[in-house]
């Protein structure tokens, strides 16, 4: 099955700093990467969709200059939360699209706490 | 856009009991998925089920696409079944992104 590595698992940062989250597909190539955000007791909300080598498409209400997505290779995508504020504290989940199968794969998530 | 609604929002079961979770969607879909999110946040793909019935061990799912709903059955529940169950529809003309329901939080007590 598809193996996804996401790290860090959790991070605490000071307000105003930036945090980078990495997502790797270890045994398949992902031309498409989805990034989700999940607040406590809520569902997953799609933030953006990125395709390898092109700019990400952001969902309405998601600031593209705040949440920088890089998808430079078929096995690695990064999400950088710039100038983080406490309201950015959330659980961030990557989902590389594995087109070999009908299922979807997910990273183990990154719990971000901004203090 | 497509709306995805799940019920019940919360469910508490005694170990060994059976349960049925429901997912309604507002428009025709080509693909519906069920996921389990464990207490540590990891999402696991349970079923890809655009129509018909599938079974995997104690879990089975049925989708009636013409009536726009899907059901997830859990039989002989175990404490390890606890977590949140999400259904999601796939939007193929938008890169295959998923629209998630709000989830059903299941707690199985020993």
């Amino acid at each position: 099955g598809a193996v996804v590595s996401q790290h860090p698992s959790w991070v605490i940062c000071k307000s105003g700093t930036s945090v980078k989250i990495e997502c790797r597909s270890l045994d398949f190539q992902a031309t498409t990467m989805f990034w989700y955000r999940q607040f406590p007791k809520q569902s997953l909300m799609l933030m953006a969709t990125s395709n390898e080598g092109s700019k990400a498409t952001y969902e309405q209400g998601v600031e593209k200059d705040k949440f920088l997505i890089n998808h430079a290779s078929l096995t690695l995508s990064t999400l950088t939360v710039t100038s983080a504020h406490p309201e950015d504290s959330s659980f961030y989940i990557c989902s590389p699209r594995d087109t070999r199968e009908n299922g979807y794969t997910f990273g183990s998530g990154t719990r971000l706490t901004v203090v | 856009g497509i709306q995805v609604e799940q019920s019940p929002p919360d469910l508490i079961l005694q170990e060994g009991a059976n349960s049925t979770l429901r997912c309604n969607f507002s428009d025709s879909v080509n693909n519906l998925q069920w996921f389990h999110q464990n207490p540590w946040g990891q999402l696991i793909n349970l079923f890809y089920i655009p129509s018909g019935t599938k079974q995997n061990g104690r879990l089975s799912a049925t989708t009636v696409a013409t009536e726009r709903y899907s059901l997830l059955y859990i039989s002989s529940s175990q404490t390890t079944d606890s977590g949140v169950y999400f259904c999601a529809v796939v939007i193929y003309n938008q890169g295959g992104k998923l629209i998630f329901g709000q989830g059903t939080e299941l707690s199985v007590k020993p």
Side-chain angles (χ1 to χ4, degrees):
Chain A
V3 181
V4 181
S5 173
Q6 182 177 345
H7 71 90
S9 299
W10 58 270
V11 58
I12 301 173
C13 71
K14 290 186 177 180
S15 189
T17 61
S18 295
V19 173
K20 180 185 283 188
I21 301 169
E22 289 191 355
C23 182
R24 296 179 184 271
S25 52
L26 299 183
D27 59 349
F28 66 100
Q29 294 183 329
T31 56
T32 301
M33 179 73 74
F34 302 103
W35 285 95
Y36 294 89
R37 178 168 54 181
Q38 186 180 28
F39 291 107
K41 300 293 185 181
Q42 294 188 23
S43 187
L44 280 75
M45 296 300 295
L46 181 66
M47 299 175 66
T49 303
S50 70
N51 291 298
E52 185 261 340
S54 61
K55 289 184 178 180
T57 300
Y58 290 81
E59 296 297 301
Q60 192 172 8
V62 178
E63 300 175 58
K64 64 178 181 179
D65 294 328
K66 182 173 186 59
F67 299 99
L68 302 179
I69 291 173
N70 183 289
H71 192 175
S73 81
L74 292 172
T75 59
L76 173 64
S77 177
T78 61
L79 167 67
T80 301
V81 183
T82 63
S83 187
H85 289 95
E87 58 265 30
D88 299 323
S89 298
S90 188
F91 191 56
Y92 293 87
I93 305 170
C94 67
S95 178
R97 183 79 191 277
D98 183 1
T99 55
R100 299 171 302 174
E101 304 174 358
N102 289 315
Y104 283 70
T105 61
F106 297 88
S108 54
T110 297
R111 196 165 301 281
L112 170 64
T113 302
V114 185
V115 297
Chain B
I2 294 178
Q3 304 296 315
V4 182
E5 296 181 356
Q6 292 186 242
S7 60
D10 304 280
L11 188 58
I12 299 175
L13 296 177
Q14 206 64 38
E15 198 169 25
N18 303 327
S19 62
T20 301
L21 281 57
R22 187 178 180 100
C23 175
N24 293 332
F25 39 95
S26 62
D27 205 346
S28 300
V29 297
N30 296 114
N31 189 350
L32 184 132
Q33 309 258 346
W34 282 96
F35 302 96
H36 174 225
Q37 187 173 38
N38 69 21
W40 296 272
Q42 178 69 62
L43 278 147
I44 303 297
N45 200 335
L46 295 177
F47 292 103
Y48 154 75
I49 185 162
S51 63
T53 297
K54 289 185 178 180
Q55 180 153 9
N56 185 359
R58 296 181 295 103
L59 273 59
S60 64
T62 295
T63 296
V64 183
T66 54
E67 297 187 22
R68 301 178 186 173
Y69 74 88
S70 184
L71 303 174
L72 178 69
Y73 305 95
I74 304 174
S75 64
S76 303
S77 58
Q78 300 177 358
T79 56
T80 52
D81 295 331
S82 296
V84 184
Y85 290 82
F86 290 103
C87 66
V89 299
V90 181
I91 310 298
Y92 281 118
N93 63 4
Q94 295 183 39
K97 73 177 187 181
L98 295 170
I99 305 295
F100 283 81
Q102 289 303 304
T104 293
E105 184 167 7
L106 174 65
S107 179
V108 181
K109 304 296 186 184

